[in-house]
Coordinates of all heavy atoms in Angstrom, one line a residue:
A1594 N 39.7 27.3 28.7 CA 38.7 26.3 29.1 C 38.6 25.2 28.1 O 38.7 24.0 28.5 CB 37.4 27.0 29.2
T1595 N 38.5 25.5 26.8 CA 38.3 24.5 25.8 C 39.6 23.7 25.6 O 39.6 22.4 25.5 CB 37.9 25.1 24.4 OG1 38.9 26.0 24.0 CG2 36.6 25.7 24.5
M1596 N 40.8 24.3 25.7 CA 42.0 23.6 25.5 C 42.2 22.6 26.7 O 42.6 21.5 26.5 CB 43.2 24.7 25.6 CG 44.6 24.2 25.5 SD 45.7 25.5 25.8 CE 45.6 25.8 27.5
S1597 N 41.8 23.0 27.9 CA 42.0 22.2 29.0 C 41.0 21.0 29.0 O 41.3 19.9 29.4 CB 41.8 23.0 30.3 OG 42.6 24.1 30.3
A1598 N 39.8 21.3 28.5 CA 38.7 20.3 28.4 C 39.2 19.2 27.4 O 38.9 18.0 27.6 CB 37.4 20.9 28.0
L1599 N 39.8 19.6 26.3 CA 40.3 18.6 25.4 C 41.4 17.7 26.0 O 41.4 16.5 25.9 CB 40.9 19.2 24.1 CG 40.0 20.0 23.2 CD1 40.8 20.2 21.9 CD2 38.8 19.2 22.9
R1600 N 42.3 18.4 26.7 CA 43.3 17.6 27.4 C 42.7 16.6 28.4 O 43.1 15.4 28.5 CB 44.3 18.5 28.1 CG 45.5 17.8 28.7 CD 46.4 18.8 29.5 NE 46.8 19.9 28.7 CZ 46.9 21.1 29.1 NH1 46.7 21.5 30.3 NH2 47.3 22.1 28.3
L1601 N 41.7 17.1 29.1 CA 41.0 16.2 30.1 C 40.3 15.0 29.4 O 40.4 13.9 29.8 CB 40.0 17.0 30.9 CG 39.2 16.3 32.0 CD1 40.1 15.6 32.9 CD2 38.4 17.3 32.7
A1602 N 39.7 15.3 28.2 CA 39.0 14.2 27.5 C 40.0 13.2 27.1 O 39.8 12.0 27.1 CB 38.3 14.8 26.3
R1603 N 41.2 13.6 26.6 CA 42.3 12.7 26.2 C 42.8 11.9 27.4 O 43.0 10.7 27.3 CB 43.4 13.5 25.5 CG 43.0 14.0 24.2 CD 44.1 14.8 23.5 NE 43.8 15.0 22.1 CZ 43.9 16.2 21.5 NH1 44.3 17.3 22.2 NH2 43.6 16.3 20.2
A1604 N 43.0 12.6 28.5 CA 43.5 12.0 29.7 C 42.5 10.9 30.2 O 42.9 9.8 30.6 CB 43.8 13.0 30.8
Y1605 N 41.2 11.3 30.2 CA 40.2 10.4 30.7 C 40.0 9.1 29.9 O 39.8 8.0 30.4 CB 38.9 11.2 30.9 CG 37.8 10.4 31.6 CD1 37.8 10.2 33.0 CD2 36.8 9.8 30.8 CE1 36.8 9.5 33.6 CE2 35.8 9.1 31.5 CZ 35.8 8.9 32.8 OH 34.8 8.2 33.5
T1606 N 40.0 9.3 28.5 CA 39.7 8.2 27.7 C 40.9 7.4 27.2 O 40.8 6.3 26.7 CB 38.9 8.7 26.4 OG1 39.8 9.6 25.7 CG2 37.6 9.3 26.7
G1607 N 42.1 8.1 27.3 CA 43.3 7.4 26.8 C 43.3 7.4 25.3 O 44.1 6.7 24.7
R1608 N 42.5 8.3 24.7 CA 42.5 8.3 23.2 C 43.0 9.7 22.8 O 43.1 10.6 23.6 CB 41.0 8.2 22.7 CG 40.4 6.8 23.1 CD 38.9 6.9 22.7 NE 38.2 5.6 23.0 CZ 36.9 5.4 22.7 NH1 36.2 6.4 22.1 NH2 36.4 4.3 22.9
N1609 N 43.3 9.9 21.5 CA 44.0 11.1 21.0 C 43.2 12.0 20.2 O 43.5 13.2 20.2 CB 45.3 10.7 20.2 CG 46.4 10.2 21.1 OD1 46.4 10.5 22.3 ND2 47.2 9.3 20.6
K1610 N 42.2 11.5 19.4 CA 41.6 12.4 18.4 C 40.4 13.2 19.0 O 39.8 12.7 20.0 CB 41.2 11.6 17.2 CG 42.4 11.1 16.5 CD 42.1 10.5 15.1 CE 43.4 10.1 14.4 NZ 43.1 9.3 13.2
I1611 N 40.1 14.3 18.4 CA 38.9 15.0 18.8 C 38.1 15.3 17.5 O 38.7 15.4 16.4 CB 39.1 16.2 19.6 CG1 40.0 17.2 18.8 CG2 39.7 16.0 20.9 CD1 39.4 18.6 18.7
V1612 N 36.8 15.5 17.7 CA 35.9 15.9 16.6 C 35.5 17.3 16.8 O 35.0 17.6 18.0 CB 34.7 15.0 16.4 CG1 33.8 15.5 15.3 CG2 35.2 13.5 16.0
K1613 N 35.6 18.2 15.9 CA 35.0 19.5 15.9 C 34.1 19.7 14.7 O 34.3 19.0 13.7 CB 36.0 20.6 16.2 CG 36.7 21.1 15.0 CD 37.6 22.3 15.2 CE 36.8 23.6 15.2 NZ 36.3 24.1 13.9
F1614 N 33.3 20.8 14.7 CA 32.4 21.0 13.6 C 32.9 22.2 12.8 O 33.4 23.2 13.3 CB 31.0 21.2 14.1 CG 30.5 20.0 14.8 CD1 30.8 19.7 16.1 CD2 29.9 19.0 14.0 CE1 30.4 18.5 16.7 CE2 29.5 17.8 14.6 CZ 29.7 17.6 16.0
I1615 N 32.8 22.1 11.4 CA 33.3 23.1 10.5 C 32.5 24.4 10.8 O 31.3 24.5 10.8 CB 33.1 22.7 9.1 CG1 33.8 21.4 8.8 CG2 33.5 23.8 8.1 CD1 33.4 20.7 7.5
G1616 N 33.3 25.5 11.0 CA 32.7 26.8 11.3 C 32.5 27.1 12.8 O 32.2 28.2 13.1
C1617 N 32.7 26.1 13.6 CA 32.6 26.4 15.1 C 34.0 26.9 15.5 O 35.0 26.5 15.0 CB 32.4 25.1 15.9 SG 30.6 24.6 15.8
Y1618 N 33.9 27.8 16.4 CA 35.2 28.4 17.0 C 35.2 28.1 18.5 O 34.2 28.3 19.2 CB 35.2 29.9 16.8 CG 36.4 30.6 17.4 CD1 37.7 30.5 16.8 CD2 36.3 31.5 18.5 CE1 38.8 31.1 17.3 CE2 37.3 32.1 19.0 CZ 38.6 32.0 18.4 OH 39.7 32.6 19.0
H1619 N 36.4 27.6 18.9 CA 36.5 27.3 20.4 C 37.7 28.0 21.0 O 38.3 27.4 21.8 CB 36.6 25.8 20.5 CG 35.5 25.0 19.9 ND1 34.2 25.0 20.4 CD2 35.4 24.3 18.7 CE1 33.4 24.2 19.6 NE2 34.1 23.8 18.6
G1620 N 38.1 29.2 20.5 CA 39.3 29.8 20.9 C 40.5 29.4 20.0 O 40.3 28.7 19.0
H1621 N 41.7 29.8 20.4 CA 42.8 29.8 19.4 C 43.9 28.8 19.8 O 45.0 28.9 19.4 CB 43.4 31.2 19.2 CG 43.9 31.8 20.5 ND1 45.2 31.5 20.9 CD2 43.4 32.5 21.5 CE1 45.5 32.2 22.0 NE2 44.4 32.7 22.4
S1622 N 43.5 27.7 20.6 CA 44.5 26.7 20.8 C 44.7 25.9 19.5 O 43.8 25.8 18.7 CB 44.1 25.8 22.0 OG 43.0 25.0 21.6
D1623 N 45.9 25.3 19.4 CA 46.3 24.7 18.1 C 45.3 23.7 17.6 O 44.9 23.8 16.4 CB 47.7 24.0 18.3 CG 48.8 25.0 18.3 OD1 48.6 26.2 18.2 OD2 50.0 24.5 18.4
A1624 N 44.9 22.8 18.5 CA 44.0 21.7 18.0 C 42.7 22.1 17.5 O 42.0 21.4 16.8 CB 43.8 20.6 19.1
L1625 N 42.3 23.4 17.9 CA 40.9 23.8 17.6 C 40.9 24.9 16.5 O 39.9 25.3 16.1 CB 40.3 24.4 18.9 CG 40.0 23.3 19.9 CD1 39.6 23.8 21.2 CD2 38.8 22.4 19.3
L1626 N 42.1 25.2 16.0 CA 42.2 26.2 14.9 C 42.1 25.5 13.5 O 42.9 25.7 12.6 CB 43.4 27.1 15.0 CG 43.2 28.3 15.8 CD1 44.5 29.2 15.7 CD2 42.0 29.1 15.3
I1627 N 41.2 24.5 13.4 CA 41.1 23.8 12.2 C 39.6 24.0 11.7 O 38.7 23.8 12.5 CB 41.2 22.2 12.4 CG1 42.4 21.9 13.4 CG2 41.3 21.5 11.1 CD1 43.8 22.1 12.8
K1628 N 39.5 24.5 10.5 CA 38.2 24.9 10.0 C 37.4 25.7 11.0 O 36.2 25.4 11.3 CB 37.4 23.6 9.5 CG 38.1 22.9 8.4 CD 37.1 22.3 7.4 CE 37.7 21.6 6.2 NZ 39.1 21.5 6.0
A1629 N 38.0 26.7 11.5 CA 37.4 27.5 12.6 C 36.6 28.6 12.1 O 36.8 29.2 11.0 CB 38.5 28.0 13.5
G1630 N 35.6 29.0 12.9 CA 34.7 30.1 12.6 C 35.2 31.4 13.2 O 36.4 31.5 13.4
S1631 N 34.3 32.3 13.5 CA 34.6 33.6 14.1 C 35.6 34.4 13.2 O 35.5 34.4 12.0 CB 35.0 33.4 15.5 OG 35.2 34.6 16.1
G1632 N 36.6 35.0 13.9 CA 37.5 35.8 13.2 C 38.3 35.1 12.2 O 38.7 35.6 11.1
A1633 N 38.6 33.8 12.4 CA 39.4 33.0 11.5 C 38.6 32.8 10.2 O 39.2 32.9 9.1 CB 39.6 31.6 12.1
A1634 N 37.3 32.6 10.3 CA 36.5 32.5 9.1 C 36.3 33.9 8.4 O 36.5 34.0 7.2 CB 35.1 32.0 9.4
T1635 N 36.2 34.9 9.2 CA 36.0 36.3 8.7 C 37.2 36.7 7.9 O 37.1 37.3 6.8 CB 35.9 37.3 9.8 OG1 34.7 36.9 10.6 CG2 35.7 38.7 9.4
L1636 N 38.4 36.3 8.4 CA 39.7 36.7 7.7 C 40.1 35.7 6.7 O 41.1 35.8 6.0 CB 40.8 36.9 8.7 CG 40.5 38.0 9.8 CD1 41.7 38.0 10.7 CD2 40.3 39.3 9.2
G1637 N 39.3 34.6 6.5 CA 39.7 33.6 5.5 C 40.8 32.7 5.9 O 41.6 32.2 5.1
I1638 N 41.1 32.6 7.2 CA 42.2 31.7 7.7 C 41.7 30.7 8.7 O 42.2 30.7 9.9 CB 43.4 32.5 8.2 CG1 42.9 33.7 9.1 CG2 44.3 33.0 7.1 CD1 44.1 34.5 9.8
P1639 N 40.8 29.8 8.3 CA 40.2 28.9 9.2 C 41.2 27.8 9.7 O 41.1 27.2 10.7 CB 39.1 28.2 8.5 CG 39.4 28.4 7.0 CD 40.2 29.7 6.9
D1640 N 42.3 27.6 8.9 CA 43.4 26.7 9.3 C 44.6 27.5 9.4 O 45.3 27.9 8.4 CB 43.6 25.6 8.2 CG 42.3 24.8 7.9 OD1 41.8 24.2 8.9 OD2 41.8 24.9 6.8
S1641 N 45.0 27.8 10.6 CA 46.1 28.8 10.8 C 47.5 28.2 10.5 O 47.8 27.1 10.9 CB 46.1 29.3 12.2 OG 47.2 30.1 12.5
P1642 N 48.3 28.9 9.8 CA 49.7 28.5 9.7 C 50.3 28.5 11.2 O 49.8 29.3 12.0 CB 50.4 29.5 8.9 CG 49.5 30.6 8.7 CD 48.1 30.2 9.1
G1643 N 51.2 27.6 11.4 CA 51.8 27.6 12.8 C 51.2 26.4 13.6 O 51.8 26.0 14.6
V1644 N 50.1 25.8 13.1 CA 49.6 24.6 13.7 C 50.3 23.5 13.1 O 50.3 23.3 11.8 CB 48.1 24.5 13.5 CG1 47.5 23.2 14.1 CG2 47.3 25.7 14.2
T1645 N 51.0 22.6 13.8 CA 51.8 21.6 13.2 C 50.9 20.5 12.6 O 49.8 20.2 13.1 CB 52.7 20.9 14.3 OG1 51.9 20.3 15.3 CG2 53.7 21.9 14.9
P1646 N 51.4 19.9 11.5 CA 50.6 18.8 10.9 C 50.2 17.7 11.9 O 49.1 17.2 11.8 CB 51.5 18.3 9.8 CG 52.5 19.4 9.5 CD 52.6 20.2 10.8
S1647 N 51.1 17.4 12.8 CA 50.8 16.3 13.7 C 49.6 16.7 14.7 O 48.8 15.9 15.0 CB 52.0 15.9 14.6 OG 52.4 17.0 15.3
V1648 N 49.5 18.0 15.1 CA 48.4 18.4 15.9 C 47.1 18.4 15.0 O 46.1 17.9 15.4 CB 48.6 19.8 16.5 CG1 47.3 20.3 17.1 CG2 49.7 19.7 17.6
A1649 N 47.2 19.0 13.8 CA 46.1 19.1 12.9 C 45.5 17.7 12.6 O 44.3 17.5 12.5 CB 46.5 19.8 11.6
A1650 N 46.4 16.7 12.6 CA 46.0 15.3 12.2 C 45.1 14.7 13.3 O 44.4 13.7 13.1 CB 47.2 14.4 12.0
T1651 N 45.2 15.3 14.5 CA 44.3 14.7 15.6 C 42.9 15.3 15.7 O 42.1 15.0 16.5 CB 45.0 14.8 17.0 OG1 45.2 16.2 17.2 CG2 46.4 14.1 17.0
T1652 N 42.7 16.3 14.8 CA 41.4 17.0 14.8 C 40.6 16.6 13.6 O 41.0 16.8 12.4 CB 41.6 18.5 14.8 OG1 42.3 18.9 16.0 CG2 40.2 19.2 14.9
I1653 N 39.5 16.0 13.8 CA 38.6 15.5 12.7 C 37.5 16.6 12.6 O 36.9 17.0 13.6 CB 38.0 14.2 13.0 CG1 39.1 13.1 13.2 CG2 37.0 13.7 12.0 CD1 38.6 11.9 13.9
T1654 N 37.2 17.0 11.4 CA 36.1 18.0 11.3 C 34.9 17.5 10.5 O 35.1 16.7 9.5 CB 36.6 19.3 10.6 OG1 37.2 19.0 9.3 CG2 37.6 20.0 11.4
V1655 N 33.7 17.8 10.9 CA 32.5 17.4 10.2 C 31.6 18.5 10.1 O 31.6 19.4 11.0 CB 31.8 16.1 10.9 CG1 32.7 14.9 10.7 CG2 31.5 16.4 12.3
P1656 N 30.6 18.5 9.2 CA 29.7 19.6 9.1 C 28.7 19.6 10.3 O 28.4 18.5 10.8 CB 28.9 19.4 7.8 CG 29.6 18.3 7.1 CD 30.5 17.6 8.1
F1657 N 28.2 20.7 10.8 CA 27.3 20.8 11.8 C 25.9 20.4 11.3 O 25.6 20.6 10.1 CB 27.2 22.3 12.3 CG 26.4 22.6 13.5 CD1 26.8 22.2 14.8 CD2 25.2 23.3 13.4 CE1 26.0 22.4 15.9 CE2 24.4 23.5 14.5 CZ 24.8 23.1 15.8

Side-chain angles (χ1 to χ4, degrees):
T1595 55
M1596 177 185 78
S1597 308
L1599 290 194
R1600 186 181 305 141
L1601 180 54
R1603 288 177 168 131
Y1605 185 77
T1606 59
R1608 301 173 177 181
N1609 286 333
K1610 294 190 175 170
I1611 59 128
V1612 175
K1613 82 172 278 289
F1614 296 87
I1615 299 166
C1617 282
Y1618 177 71
H1619 305 286
H1621 62 88
S1622 70
D1623 284 359
L1625 291 166
L1626 270 187
I1627 317 286
K1628 299 218 176 356
S1631 186
T1635 302
L1636 300 179
I1638 41 176
D1640 304 296
S1641 173
V1644 174
T1645 61
S1647 62
V1648 169
T1651 61
T1652 304
I1653 299 162
T1654 55
V1655 293
F1657 188 72

